[in-house]
Amino acid sequence: VQLQASGGGVVQAGGSLRLSCVASGRISSIASMDWFRQAPGKQRERVARWHRSLGTDYADFVKGRFTISPDADAKTSYLDMSSLNPEDTAVYYCSMFLRTRLGGSYATYWGPGTQVTVSS
């Protein structure tokens, strides 16, 4: 299983970006999809989560600005980001908690990350 994130780039403060994360390979079912970010010198932090039973959840610092949109059938997760500010500058990572076969165990898979830079 491989995850590939895309959509990062440079945007001015107040702007918007859409990140995409596509999973490929043998996948039986996806239980949750997450987006994390890591700024230079800081720990990785979760930004948004979608869980197939629990719904969506957001970090306080992105509530009202970011939206996670899963498409489990397409094995894709989107993160729509608006009202971006320089503090949102980070490498954004996607992850999925999934299993590769029916009845198998779930495990977390990560993508390589995509850089988001917000200029003031």
Side-chain angles (χ1 to χ4, degrees):
V1 175
Q2 290 187 326
L3 271 62
Q4 184 62 52
S6 62
V10 180
V11 63
Q12 287 190 331
S16 302
L17 279 176
R18 165 175 264 207
L19 305 183
S20 300
C21 177
V22 181
S24 61
R26 182 179 176 182
I27 297 172
S28 173
S29 60
I30 301 172
S32 64
M33 299 177 175
D34 293 77
W35 285 92
F36 289 75
R37 72 185 187 186
Q38 187 167 18
K42 295 187 177 181
Q43 290 188 332
R44 190 174 296 188
E45 56 188 0
R46 188 163 68 200
V47 173
R49 160 170 283 185
W50 167 82
H51 188 280
R52 66 183 178 188
S53 299
L54 302 177
T56 58
D57 185 54
Y58 298 91
D60 287 342
F61 51 80
V62 302
K63 282 182 179 178
R65 301 189 299 124
F66 291 12
T67 302
I68 185 170
S69 302
D71 186 343
D73 290 340
K75 305 170 188 175
T76 301
S77 172
Y78 300 99
L79 184 68
D80 289 294
M81 307 184 294
S82 62
S83 301
L84 287 162
N85 58 65
E87 289 71 37
D88 295 316
T89 295
V91 177
Y92 283 71
Y93 298 89
C94 63
S95 70
M96 296 187 188
F97 190 59
L98 58 86
R99 61 182 179 183
T100 58
R101 60 180 178 86
L102 188 65
S105 298
Y106 283 86
T108 300
Y109 293 81
W110 290 87
T114 183
Q115 176 71 45
V116 172
T117 302
V118 184
S119 61
S120 58

